[in-house]
């Protein structure tokens, strides 16, 4: 598994597919829920319309057997205030989700009045009134029935089987009024042998001589269920196909985007194998991050090539510089061994000292190349300049106090190299000055010699560079002094430049951050 998803392309494809899948599932769920809710509301509206049509017939005085309960082939129930079914659809065989599971209305029967007489004793034909109003109790109220045989307006809650103090929505209805509130419920019903799910609406109506009735009418949910199933089937079929398309597109797009990266990787591998740092990786013709990576890689290769070439030249120059004094010292020792009286002890000592200085310079350069940072010692640069000037005859110092932070030993080496270089090229005078210039401490070393040509003022800071190749090595040195001086200046966060002095000679300017 780790190898399967080890590549960036595989992980990107997997991540994109998972994110799209989560988004599609969430969106599909929301669509299904919204669709189901809307269709449920539509079914509820149809059920409410059917219930209100029946309630309107009842409020208009229609008898139970004249109600239009089977016109829409939908289940309808009419329940009185006591919960007794008084009318229902003819083909209704089973029902759930309404106030009662009874599907056949209770047949009408006479109702005893308060005095024990039947409805016929009052001489009034109740017509279509089934007498079911008093199923909850034969007593229709304290005053019984009026002389025409119809139930009085005062129904008396106690005669309806409800507590005299009960508070419900029906008590606010006047005879002939249909309730504004509608309640909904889901259930099922069997009509003419077919069982289906329905959305039922319950509407209250108050009828003269019948009391408050509740009409339950259902609207089929088959269309809603079919629509939801169809939408679900489409989603379940289309989701895998869409995810496959997303995965394929992501795979191809990622492959195309990472193709330049593979080119960079293969070229870097070839460069590593061939050790040819002159080669460069291909840069795509885009302005994206991959092109930036390629350009940065080429810049790194160029810097590495320069560094390696510099190290090669350094090793070659160091070998050459060491070979001459070693060969001279060996020759003197061999002559001395064969002819002791001809041994040039003074020359041997000078060659040894020169070797020692060269070895010290090479060691310091190696430490600087390794990134050695100077110590954080605070000291007065003017005091250091005066000390170095006193050690060298003919050097004058004009110094103002300027404190800096760094390695006192390295900066002493820097200043010594500048003064020794100036003394070798000066005619008669070498001057060192120290001053402050804002946030900088400035040290200048000037001589009255021939100066440095403008075209050579940067090259003289390269290692093993000597402008006067004809001069003797005893006078000129190895050509490392100025290179060491500039490296030390850079390690201290400063700069070292060459210019022209007022007397026409060379002017070396060192700028270091002044200590606060």
């Amino acid at each position: 598994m780790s190898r399967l998803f080890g590549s960036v392309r595989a992980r990107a494809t997997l991540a994109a597919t998972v994110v799209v899948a989560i988004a599609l599932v969430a969106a599909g769920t929301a669509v299904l829920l919204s669709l189901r809710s809307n269709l449920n509301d539509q079914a509820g509206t149809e059920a409410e319309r059917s219930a209100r049509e029946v309630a309107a017939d009842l409020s208009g005085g229609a008898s139970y057997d004249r109600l239009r309960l089977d016109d829409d082939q939908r289940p309808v129930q009419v329940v009185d205030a006591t919960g007794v079914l008084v009318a229902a659809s003819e083909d209704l065989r089973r029902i759930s989700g309404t106030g009662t599971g009874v599907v056949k209305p209770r047949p009408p029967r006479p109702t005893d009045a308060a005095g024990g007489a039947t409805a016929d004793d009052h001489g009034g034909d109740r017509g279509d009134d089934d007498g079911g109003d008093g199923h909850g109790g034969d007593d229709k109220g304290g005053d019984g029935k009026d002389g025409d045989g119809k139930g009085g307006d005062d129904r008396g809650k106690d005669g309806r089987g409800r507590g005299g103090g009960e508070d419900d929505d029906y008590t606010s209805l006047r005879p002939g009024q249909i309730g504004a509130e509608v309640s909904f419920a889901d259930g099922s019903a069997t009509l003419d042998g077919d069982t289906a799910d329905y959305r039922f609406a319950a509407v209250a109506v108050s009828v003269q001589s019948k009391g408050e009735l509740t009409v339950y009418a259902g609207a089929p949910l088959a269309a809603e269920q079919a629509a939801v199933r169809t939408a679900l089937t489409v989603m379940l079929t289309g989701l895998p196909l869409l995810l496959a398309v997303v995965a394929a597109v992501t795979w191809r797009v990622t492959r195309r985007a990472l193709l330049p990266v593979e080119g960079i990787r293969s070229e870097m591998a070839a460069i590593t194998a061939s050790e040819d740092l002159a080669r460069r990786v291909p840069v795509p013709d885009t302005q994206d991050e991959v092109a930036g990576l390629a350009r940065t890689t080429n810049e790194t290769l160029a810097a590495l090539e320069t560094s390696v070439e510099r190290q090669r030249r350094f090793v070659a120059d160091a070998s050459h510089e060491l070979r001459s004094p070693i060969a001279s010292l060996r020759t003197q020792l061999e002559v001395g061994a064969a002819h002791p009286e001809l041994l040039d002890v003074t020359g041997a000592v000078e060659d040894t000292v020169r070797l020692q200085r060269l070895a010290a310079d090479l060691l310091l350069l190696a430490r600087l190349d390794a990134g050695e940072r100077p110590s954080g010692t605070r000291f007065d640069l003017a005091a250091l300049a005066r000390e170095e000037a006193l050690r060298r005859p003919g050097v004058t110092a004009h110094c103002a106090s300027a404190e800096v932070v760094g390695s006192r030993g390295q900066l002493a080496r820097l200043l010594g190299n500048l003064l020794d270089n100036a003394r070798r090229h000066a005619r008669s005078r070498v001057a060192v000055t120290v001053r402050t210039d804002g946030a900088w401490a400035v040290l200048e070393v000037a001589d009255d010699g021939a100066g440095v040509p403008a075209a050579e003022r940067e090259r003289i800071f390269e290692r093993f560079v000597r402008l006067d190749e004809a001069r003797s090595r005893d006078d000129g040195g190895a050509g490392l002094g100025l290179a060491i001086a500039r490296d030390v200046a850079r390690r201290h966060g400063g700069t070292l430049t060459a210019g022209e002095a007022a007397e026409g000679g060379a002017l070396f300017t060192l700028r270091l951050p002044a200590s606060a």
Side-chain angles (χ1 to χ4, degrees):
M1 183 62 70
S2 60
R3 294 185 61 185
L4 179 62
F5 296 104
S7 67
V8 174
R9 192 165 77 178
R11 291 196 298 270
T13 302
L14 177 63
T17 305
V18 169
V19 170
V20 173
I22 293 174
L24 289 178
V25 169
T29 302
V31 169
L32 288 178
L33 292 177
S34 177
L35 177 63
R36 182 176 180 181
S37 176
N38 291 336
L39 293 177
N40 272 343
D41 292 342
Q42 181 179 350
T45 302
E46 295 177 1
E48 180 183 357
R49 178 180 57 80
S50 298
R52 289 192 178 277
E53 289 177 356
V54 175
D57 292 341
L58 287 171
S59 66
S63 60
Y64 294 140
D65 58 355
R66 293 182 181 276
L67 295 175
R68 295 174 297 173
L69 304 181
D70 299 303
D71 290 353
D72 296 334
Q73 291 296 316
R74 294 177 180 178
V76 179
Q77 286 181 316
V78 181
V79 181
D80 67 7
T82 63
V84 175
L85 181 68
V86 295
S89 299
E90 182 179 355
D91 296 330
L92 184 62
R93 297 292 179 266
R94 186 186 63 82
I95 192 169
S96 64
T98 60
T100 177
V102 180
V103 296
K104 294 300 180 182
R106 182 174 179 176
R109 61 183 178 82
T111 303
D112 293 335
T118 64
D120 293 336
D121 292 335
H122 291 283
D125 185 5
R126 301 191 59 183
D128 292 332
D129 186 359
D130 295 330
D133 306 324
H135 287 311
D138 290 339
D139 186 5
K140 306 295 282 188
D143 296 333
K145 300 179 173 59
D146 53 17
D148 62 1
K150 295 181 180 179
D153 291 340
D154 184 7
R155 303 284 297 178
K157 293 177 186 175
D158 295 338
R160 296 176 56 184
R162 295 175 184 169
E166 183 179 359
D167 183 16
D168 57 41
D169 294 337
Y170 299 114
T171 59
S172 62
L173 297 178
R174 297 184 302 274
Q177 182 180 2
I178 300 174
E181 297 293 332
V182 183
S183 61
F184 296 94
D186 292 335
S188 62
T190 302
L191 280 174
D192 198 19
D194 295 330
T195 301
D197 294 328
Y198 289 86
R199 180 79 166 171
F200 290 100
V203 176
V205 59
S206 178
V207 181
Q208 183 76 20
S209 77
K210 294 183 178 64
E212 286 86 3
L213 304 176
T214 303
V215 180
Y216 294 95
L221 295 175
E224 175 261 349
Q225 294 172 347
V228 171
R229 283 195 299 269
T230 301
L232 181 60
T233 301
V234 171
M235 290 180 181
L236 292 179
T237 303
L239 180 62
L241 296 178
L242 184 58
L243 291 180
V245 172
V246 170
V249 171
T250 305
W251 182 267
R252 291 180 61 87
V253 171
T254 309
R255 176 180 179 274
R256 184 171 183 177
L258 294 178
L259 194 60
V261 177
E262 175 59 24
I264 294 173
R265 187 208 62 79
S266 60
E267 184 63 23
M268 287 296 294
I271 292 173
T272 303
S274 65
E275 297 183 358
D276 182 8
L277 296 178
R279 299 174 60 173
R280 297 293 180 264
V281 300
V283 179
D285 296 332
T286 58
Q287 299 299 324
D288 55 11
E289 291 80 358
V290 177
L293 173 64
R295 287 190 291 269
T296 303
T297 302
N298 285 337
E299 292 172 1
T300 302
L301 288 173
L304 183 60
E305 180 186 15
T306 301
S307 177
V308 170
E309 184 62 27
R310 182 180 180 183
Q311 291 297 324
R312 288 174 179 172
R313 290 199 308 269
F314 176 77
V315 172
D317 292 339
S319 300
H320 177 73
E321 293 295 331
L322 288 171
R323 182 176 57 185
S324 296
I326 290 176
S328 175
L329 181 60
R330 177 181 177 181
T331 300
Q332 295 180 37
L333 293 176
E334 288 177 348
V335 170
H339 307 281
E341 69 281 1
L342 299 179
L343 178 61
D344 185 5
V345 178
T346 302
V349 171
E350 291 178 354
D351 287 340
T352 303
V353 171
R354 186 163 178 264
L355 280 173
Q356 182 181 8
R357 290 177 178 173
L358 182 56
D361 289 344
L362 293 175
L363 180 60
L364 178 57
L365 284 173
R367 292 204 308 267
L368 294 175
D369 289 341
E372 178 181 300
R373 309 303 301 178
S375 60
T377 304
R378 178 183 297 178
F379 60 93
D380 187 2
L381 185 62
L384 176 63
R386 284 190 290 267
E387 292 177 7
E388 294 297 324
L390 289 175
R391 296 177 182 175
R392 294 166 176 82
V395 178
T396 60
H398 305 280
C399 304
S401 179
E403 289 192 343
V404 295
V405 176
S407 171
R408 199 175 192 279
Q410 290 186 7
L411 290 177
R413 182 68 175 276
L414 181 156
L415 181 54
N417 289 350
L418 293 180
L419 293 176
D420 292 340
N421 179 77
R423 291 180 64 203
R424 282 195 298 268
H425 296 86
R427 294 188 181 92
S428 60
R429 190 181 70 85
V430 175
V432 56
T433 59
V434 176
R435 57 185 173 85
T436 57
D437 182 12
W440 298 92
V442 181
L443 181 146
E444 294 178 339
V445 175
D447 62 65
D448 59 354
V452 181
E456 303 290 344
R457 288 174 185 172
E458 281 299 316
R459 196 172 76 89
I460 59 174
F461 292 107
E462 296 178 6
R463 298 175 182 182
F464 300 106
V465 170
R466 291 186 296 268
L467 298 183
D468 186 6
E469 297 293 346
R471 73 179 185 271
S472 67
R473 293 184 180 273
D474 293 338
D475 294 334
L480 294 176
L482 295 179
I484 292 175
R486 171 165 279 189
D487 283 350
V488 170
R490 287 176 174 172
R491 290 296 185 273
H492 284 75
T495 60
L496 178 61
T497 57
E500 183 178 356
E503 295 83 358
L507 173 66
F508 290 90
T509 303
L510 171 67
R511 299 175 67 88
L512 295 175
S515 175

